[in-house]
Amino acid sequence: MKQDEAADTLEDELFFIHQLKCSLKEKYQCVFEGIAKQGDSTLLNNIYTDLYITQGCSEQVNTEHEVRQIEVASRRHESQEIQVECKNLFEAPEQDKQIRTVLTKGVAGIGKSVSVQKFVLDWAEGKENQDISFIFPLPFREMNLKEKEKLSLMDLITQFFPETKGLNLTRRNQKSSSLDVLLTNLIKGNLLPSALIWITTRPAAASKIPPDCIDRLTEIRGFNDAQKEEYFRKRFTDENLAKEIIDHVKQSKSLFIMCHIPVFCWISATVLQNILEEKKNNDVKNNQADDASKKLQESNTEDTPKTLTQMYAHFLRFQILQSRRKYDGEYTPDVSWDKDAILSLGKLAFHQLERNNVIFYDTDLKDCGIDVYKASVYSGMCTQIFKEETGIVLGTMYCFVHLSIQEFIAALYAHLFLDINKKCVFDQDFVHV
């Protein structure tokens, strides 16, 4: 929000700005790839790769599958589009136009959250947008848990940012209202009319925002071809490993297209790095093995994934093996454990797809036989989004790292269900296990 709408005095304003920047820097300086808290922490500035963001997009809701949307987007000509830098979202191309509200849409895993994280971190570190006094990132997923409460704007802000308690952003008393009324008034400018609003959303939900309230419409398209390669080079300090992975991904059109999605780049990097490391270990063993052993070991490394299905199968296998090592201390072969894990995850994926859900809760996991505490066992497959602010648990929500992963596991579940029960999972007269 602009400085003329900030705290009543310069001294108070500087104090709150400093407190907020310190808090946001600590919160946003690291990125956890793949999963929220169980993943490996990395400094965002070390691996951040600019995303391809374009001005405008189709006004109609795209009902095609998100993977299909990515395939279509990959065929567009970049020269025909207006590219927007994330740091310049509120800068108007025409000097006489003021941009107050920006709506950015993008499919799941395309980089919306990381873009917001980078924008906030650059401000907190004093690098960009220093004409903005305060930034308050408010996640809809968590705010939705407060939909039945009546809150003022300051109530909402202080619950998410307790360090701002005592800050007065408005010069008039605010009435408490429901969350939807509060956010509507904020977007329309009835509350804090000089505040800058940036809304990020998936395409299907973009139509819920009144178009007359939006000053700029943008779309995050993920990585272009050059940015895909940049991602892998930043992720791996070993240049040879990065080049090998890039070369492999380029060999498959479907894999290379899917790498428009940063999350899929992470999946590919995870799988291919593991396969290449296994191959190197086998090469060492081959030097000491007989011919029969060599042939067996070579056959185990020849199935490097070339399709999306193969990539997801390898990813699932890798995560289960990682879970075994975490809880058993070693890669102990246990087929029954694998089947139980896959069936539990599959049941969750399948039933949530039936309900058109990509976000689910503790009770959903329990209904599928997944222990909430052990949700992290399925590291990389199930993302735990857990926030705790001001001593109050705002809620725990889960989602698969990407919709296509959820669909793959649901399809695998349907196959296993048929094989085990000799019944189709779509048979409504049969009780699902």
Side-chain angles (χ1 to χ4, degrees), residues 146-380:
K146 298 179 175 294
E147 60 182 353
K148 296 182 180 179
E149 298 181 29
K150 287 191 176 293
L151 303 164
S152 69
L153 179 60
M154 283 311 305
D155 289 336
L156 183 66
I157 289 176
T158 53
Q159 284 194 26
F160 283 91
F161 305 94
E163 62 273 16
T164 63
K165 190 173 183 179
L167 175 66
N168 184 17
L169 295 176
T170 60
R171 297 181 180 179
R172 61 182 181 182
N173 293 327
Q174 293 176 352
K175 294 182 179 179
S176 297
S177 60
S178 61
L179 182 66
D180 59 341
V181 171
L182 182 65
L183 294 178
T184 299
N185 284 327
L186 184 61
I187 293 172
K188 288 186 174 181
N190 298 331
L191 280 176
L192 299 178
S194 63
L196 304 177
I197 310 294
W198 182 17
I199 304 169
T200 64
T201 180
R202 293 176 64 175
S207 59
K208 297 180 181 180
I209 309 297
D212 58 336
C213 298
I214 305 301
D215 300 314
R216 168 177 271 182
L217 186 61
T218 61
E219 181 178 5
I220 294 183
R221 298 262 301 282
F223 294 146
N224 59 25
D225 290 352
Q227 290 165 341
K228 296 173 191 177
E229 296 190 27
E230 181 184 350
Y231 170 87
F232 289 114
R233 290 195 177 97
K234 282 188 174 181
R235 193 179 190 280
F236 299 107
T237 55
D238 185 333
E239 294 181 4
N240 292 329
L241 177 61
K243 184 179 183 303
E244 197 169 354
I245 289 177
I246 291 170
D247 289 343
H248 178 81
V249 170
K250 280 186 172 182
Q251 291 174 8
S252 169
K253 181 180 178 181
S254 59
L255 295 185
F256 195 56
I257 287 176
M258 281 296 286
C259 280
H260 273 69
I261 304 176
V263 165
F264 189 78
C265 285
W266 170 73
I267 291 172
S268 300
T270 301
V271 169
L272 295 175
Q273 181 184 18
N274 179 62
I275 288 176
L276 292 173
E277 287 177 351
E278 284 186 354
K279 184 177 184 299
K280 288 180 180 178
N281 291 335
N282 286 340
D283 287 343
V284 173
K285 294 178 182 179
N286 278 341
N287 292 331
Q288 302 172 342
D290 56 30
D291 292 339
S293 297
K294 288 181 180 180
K295 289 181 180 180
L296 177 61
Q297 291 166 358
E298 287 170 359
S299 65
N300 289 335
T301 59
E302 287 176 354
D303 59 339
T304 307
K306 298 179 178 62
T307 66
L308 298 182
T309 300
Q310 292 171 353
M311 182 66 77
Y312 291 155
H314 275 272
F315 184 64
L316 178 58
R317 171 183 172 272
F318 173 74
Q319 296 302 341
I320 289 177
L321 291 178
Q322 287 289 89
S323 301
R324 280 204 209 137
R325 183 170 63 179
K326 178 178 179 180
Y327 283 86
D328 299 334
E330 58 182 355
Y331 289 146
T332 305
D334 185 347
V335 177
S336 62
W337 194 99
D338 288 0
K339 185 176 293 185
D340 289 343
I342 293 172
L343 285 173
S344 296
L345 279 173
K347 184 177 180 181
L348 176 68
F350 184 87
H351 290 314
Q352 294 305 317
L353 281 178
E354 280 190 315
R355 298 163 188 159
N356 200 28
N357 290 340
V358 293
I359 303 294
F360 26 92
Y361 303 88
D362 290 352
T363 53
D364 299 316
L365 270 64
K366 290 178 181 177
D367 289 344
C368 296
I370 299 175
D371 187 284
V372 175
Y373 171 74
K374 290 185 178 180
S376 60
V377 170
Y378 308 95
S379 61

Side-chain angles (χ1 to χ4, degrees), residues 30-200:
C30 291
V31 62
F32 297 84
E33 288 196 285
I35 55 176
K37 291 188 176 181
Q38 293 79 25
D40 294 328
S41 172
T42 306
L43 288 176
L44 176 62
N45 286 331
N46 289 347
I47 65 167
Y48 179 78
T49 304
D50 285 328
L51 291 160
Y52 191 69
I53 306 175
T54 59
Q55 171 85 29
C57 51
S58 173
E59 294 181 358
Q60 296 180 345
V61 177
N62 193 333
T63 57
E64 289 186 304
H65 190 280
E66 291 193 343
V67 171
R68 177 61 181 160
Q69 293 180 43
I70 294 162
E71 291 174 348
V72 172
S74 69
R75 293 196 294 267
R76 296 177 189 165
H77 296 290
E78 294 179 6
S79 60
Q80 299 174 357
E81 299 170 326
I82 300 175
Q83 189 171 356
V84 180
E85 288 190 71
C86 185
K87 63 182 180 181
N88 299 328
L89 278 177
F90 295 98
E91 292 184 8
E94 305 86 12
Q95 294 182 353
D96 59 341
K97 181 181 179 182
Q98 181 180 2
I99 295 179
R100 177 183 180 271
T101 306
V102 176
L103 175 63
T104 300
K105 75 173 190 176
V107 299
I110 204 72
K112 299 184 294 295
S113 297
V114 175
S115 294
V116 171
Q117 184 175 346
K118 178 62 174 173
F119 187 95
V120 173
L121 182 61
D122 284 347
W123 175 79
E125 293 181 337
K127 296 177 180 178
E128 302 289 348
N129 293 298
Q130 295 305 292
D131 59 327
I132 296 175
S133 294
F134 299 93
I135 290 183
F136 302 112
L138 298 171
F140 279 102
R141 286 179 178 178
E142 296 175 43
M143 287 194 296
N144 286 339
L145 297 175
K146 298 179 175 294
E147 60 182 353
K148 296 182 180 179
E149 298 181 29
K150 287 191 176 293
L151 303 164
S152 69
L153 179 60
M154 283 311 305
D155 289 336
L156 183 66
I157 289 176
T158 53
Q159 284 194 26
F160 283 91
F161 305 94
E163 62 273 16
T164 63
K165 190 173 183 179
L167 175 66
N168 184 17
L169 295 176
T170 60
R171 297 181 180 179
R172 61 182 181 182
N173 293 327
Q174 293 176 352
K175 294 182 179 179
S176 297
S177 60
S178 61
L179 182 66
D180 59 341
V181 171
L182 182 65
L183 294 178
T184 299
N185 284 327
L186 184 61
I187 293 172
K188 288 186 174 181
N190 298 331
L191 280 176
L192 299 178
S194 63
L196 304 177
I197 310 294
W198 182 17
I199 304 169
T200 64

